[in-house]
Amino acid sequence: MDPLTSALKVSASGLQAESTRLRIVSENIANARSTGDAPGSDPYRRKTISFAAEIDRASGASLVEIERLGTDDSDYNIEFDPGNPAADEKGMVKLPNVNILVEMADMREANRAYEANLQTIKQSRDLISQTIDLLRASQ
């Protein structure tokens, strides 16, 4: 397989992986202040994503694959809010283990990686188009 097609495959796999990463980050942000259904129940637990390099046998290119979707096992945040329906008998409420600053940084990084992969696809498509034009002109 030619290098330009391999570049397209690698970038496409990167787009798919970063798209999933953005979805996970969005879920975490959306649930950052959610609580459990009953007093003392566990709230939303932060989701995580891990990537791995996977060799494509047809092209020999190293593609990005999602290795694992998991959850962050760190402790929940606890807040005193006796008026909350999810508060225990002491007025303490368990909140998700989501840190908005970490999620926003992760979102920015994923967005930039997505844009970089998209730019690589555009460049590869332009180079393929120019190659076809050169081949037509030489006939």
Side-chain angles (χ1 to χ4, degrees):
M1 186 173 288
D2 69 288
L4 292 176
T5 305
S6 292
L8 284 171
K9 282 187 133 187
V10 170
S11 294
S13 72
L15 281 176
Q16 187 174 14
E18 294 303 336
S19 176
T20 303
R21 182 178 175 191
L22 283 167
R23 183 182 55 81
I24 296 296
V25 168
S26 297
E27 287 178 22
N28 289 340
I29 291 172
N31 289 294
R33 296 291 298 171
S34 63
T35 59
D37 296 333
S41 63
D42 289 342
Y44 175 84
R45 188 168 284 280
R46 179 178 180 262
K47 292 182 181 177
T48 60
I49 186 168
S50 299
F51 298 126
E54 186 74 31
I55 300 295
D56 181 42
R57 292 179 190 204
S59 65
S62 182
L63 305 178
V64 178
E65 295 290 328
I66 296 170
E67 183 178 43
R68 186 174 68 86
L69 294 174
T71 55
D72 182 353
D73 293 332
S74 63
D75 293 334
Y76 292 116
N77 298 321
I78 303 204
E79 187 176 283
F80 181 71
D81 186 6
N84 192 312
D88 62 13
E89 63 278 351
K90 296 177 186 174
M92 303 306 277
V93 178
K94 290 182 188 176
L95 295 173
N97 56 347
V98 175
N99 182 334
I100 294 294
L101 292 176
V102 170
E103 298 303 324
M104 293 301 289
D106 202 23
M107 181 181 285
R108 174 176 269 169
E109 183 182 331
N111 190 35
R112 290 201 174 145
Y114 188 91
E115 289 172 354
N117 282 304
L118 193 58
Q119 189 62 33
T120 302
I121 287 175
K122 288 178 184 177
Q123 294 274 331
S124 296
R125 288 181 63 201
D126 287 347
L127 288 171
I128 289 170
S129 179
Q130 288 175 7
T131 302
I132 291 170
D133 290 345
L134 286 172
L135 289 172
R136 284 185 187 151
S138 67
Q139 290 182 357

